[in-house]
Each structure stands twice: as structure tokens, then as C-alpha cells.
Amino acid sequence: KGLGLIDSLETAQTPAEAVITLHLGPYGGTAEVLRRTSPPRLLIAVSEGTADDIPLPDFERRAAPRPRQVRVVVIDPGHGGSDPGIVTTSGVAEKEITLAIAQYLRRRLQDEDESLRVILTRDDDRFLSNEDRTGIANSNRADLFISLHGNGWFHGGERGFSVGTFSGDGAHAPSEFARWGEPDPGLQSEMSAFAETLLEALGESVPLPNRGARSAGYAVLAGATMPAVLVECGFLTNREDAGQLVDSDFQETVASALAQGVLQFRDSGGTP
């Protein structure tokens, strides 16, 4: 009222309702009611401008999301050495495909952000246990862990990519939790958010069916102390999926999509 925007204010209340009437003065423009739930209250913002121009009071402003701290990313090319994984009908082993995608992904991430430290659990054809792979991520204090795989099924009809998170039901979980400690209760939500971000990025670029997020007892993710996911890049038992996954251009497409997902997850952040 002292600013000349509100000429007068009238209130009336009954057991069933409350009525507030604002009479805007000659300089008044618009009034907007802002509802807040915690605690329950109404804020009335009066402005000389249009409703869209009414700023929130300083005490009602929400902190802008801060980027997540992502400085170390560990990429795990699934299988290797004496464990070839699934072998396509053309004779290409899963271990070769995952290593190629991992190397493309490392290069793309470093091209996008030189400050990122990107570590591969293996950079050649060697065998690593699941515990070794998770251990590399934990020992390097990784901020994100991505294990790359090709999917397979008993028949060739299944297709598409998916992203998995650890559910805690795997047989390897007790030993790994004892080794690295129980997971942070808030970690599961971060893992789910990371999985969804990668799925969205893959869906925008990779021309395969999106099978969504999965939660299971993935042994390679057990004991991870950071957001960790297992990416099934496609079905190597499906002729069409496999035909694309053995192609270097397609491998680069998958890697580029995953890199975008990592950066989007980092930049989306959360409220402090």
C-alpha cells in the first residue's frame, strides 16, 4: 500500500471460505497468488507488469541446480581374455565390441572435457574378475562407473539396448559389501537418475529399441561406491542388432550417446 500499488484491502471469512479483495491503485497492474505447501501459505505478488513479470520474493527463490562433481569416470569393457562373452554368427566376440565402444567413449569424453580423468578397467584383451572391475572404480574414487556389455537370449527375436542398476539381490553382494562397505542410502536414487539419463541419450541417437532401465543383482556392480550402471548395447543373438554392433561407425554412435549422457547427468546436478 505504501508503494501506491494497492489502494485498499478487504477480508471476509466464514467457516467455509476466506475472501481477500485487493483494490489496485492507479499504479497497480496485476496480482498473482503463489501457493506454497511447506508450510501451507499463500503469497500475493502485485506488480505493475504482466503476471509473467512478477518475480518471486527473495526468500522464495529456489537455489539453482549445481553440477554434480564428476572428475573421474571408469569405463568397464565387459568380458576379455579367456571370457569372450557372446560370439556373433559372424565370429566377432562381445569382448571385442565392448572394448571398441569403451575406447571410443573415452576419446569422446576427453574431447568434450579435457579435465575429466577417464579410466578403462582393461585396455587390451585380458581377463578381469567382477571384483577386480568394481575394485578399480572404487580404488580410483570414480564418480561414475559404466560397465559395457552385449545382451543375449535363447532365440534371435529379442532386440534393443537397456541400462541396469544393482538391486542388492545378487549372490556376490555380501562379500563385496563387506569389502567396500554398505552403499549410501542415497546412492540408489543417483544410480537410477544416471540410468535414466543414459537411456534418454541413447534413445536420441541409437536406432535400436529402448528396453528401459533394469534392476538386478549384477555382480560387476556389487559393492560400487558411486553411481554404477551396466549398459546392454544391443542383442548379439539378434542378427540385426549384431550386424550394427560390429560396425565401427555404429560403435562410435553408441559411445557418443553415452558421452552425452554422462555430461548431461553431470550438468543436471541437484539442489545443494
Side-chain angles (χ1 to χ4, degrees):
K1 190 173 181 179
L3 295 176
L5 297 178
I6 302 175
D7 187 48
S8 63
L9 182 150
E10 300 173 4
T11 62
Q13 185 170 353
T14 69
E17 64 179 359
V19 178
I20 299 176
T21 304
L22 293 176
H23 296 280
L24 300 180
Y27 303 104
T30 57
E32 182 181 13
V33 177
L34 308 173
R35 298 185 181 184
R36 296 293 179 262
T37 58
S38 181
R41 63 203 186 278
L42 293 177
L43 300 176
I44 301 174
V46 180
S47 173
E48 294 182 65
T50 63
D52 290 341
D53 294 330
I54 299 174
L56 284 173
D58 288 341
F59 62 85
E60 283 294 314
R61 298 183 188 278
R62 299 293 185 262
R66 293 179 180 174
R68 291 177 174 88
Q69 177 176 283
V70 177
R71 294 179 296 188
V72 181
V73 179
V74 171
I75 305 165
D76 172 44
H79 307 280
S82 59
D83 174 18
I86 299 169
V87 179
T88 69
T89 56
S90 62
V92 181
E94 181 181 354
K95 65 179 182 179
E96 301 172 53
I97 295 170
T98 59
L99 180 57
I101 295 175
Q103 290 170 335
Y104 285 131
L105 176 53
R106 175 177 59 187
R107 186 183 312 158
R108 183 57 186 269
L109 284 172
Q110 291 176 333
D111 286 345
E112 293 286 345
D113 186 346
E114 293 181 356
S115 68
L116 275 178
R117 183 180 174 212
V118 185
I119 300 169
L120 268 58
T121 57
R122 66 177 183 92
D123 210 355
D124 53 20
D125 186 18
R126 73 176 70 183
F127 174 81
L128 291 171
S129 69
N130 289 319
E131 291 83 358
D132 289 338
R133 297 168 192 268
T134 312
I136 290 171
N138 288 345
S139 298
N140 283 280
R141 297 187 178 183
D143 299 298
L144 298 173
F145 178 56
I146 304 171
S147 187
L148 299 173
H149 292 263
N151 216 335
W153 196 240
F154 300 105
H155 60 78
E158 297 293 333
R159 297 192 61 205
F161 59 81
S162 61
V163 180
T165 57
F166 185 70
S167 68
D169 298 328
H172 297 269
S175 63
E176 284 304 286
F177 287 163
R179 182 181 179 188
W180 297 107
E182 290 292 332
D184 185 327
L187 185 58
Q188 190 62 47
S189 63
E190 282 289 276
M191 287 184 180
S192 297
F194 186 35
E196 292 295 339
T197 304
L198 291 182
L199 278 172
E200 183 177 350
L202 287 167
E204 291 176 355
S205 305
V206 178
L208 296 182
N210 185 341
R211 298 175 64 88
R214 307 294 175 93
S215 182
Y218 299 108
V220 72
L221 303 182
T225 58
M226 75 294 297
V229 296
L230 186 147
V231 179
E232 301 278 18
C233 301
F235 275 79
L236 296 177
T237 50
N238 176 271
R239 187 177 299 274
E240 189 171 352
D241 280 18
Q244 297 196 73
L245 283 166
V246 299
D247 180 76
S248 59
D249 289 340
F250 188 82
Q251 292 166 358
E252 284 195 80
T253 297
V254 173
S256 294
L258 291 172
Q260 284 303 113
V262 168
L263 299 177
Q264 287 167 9
F265 178 74
R266 178 197 65 185
D267 296 340
S268 64
T271 54

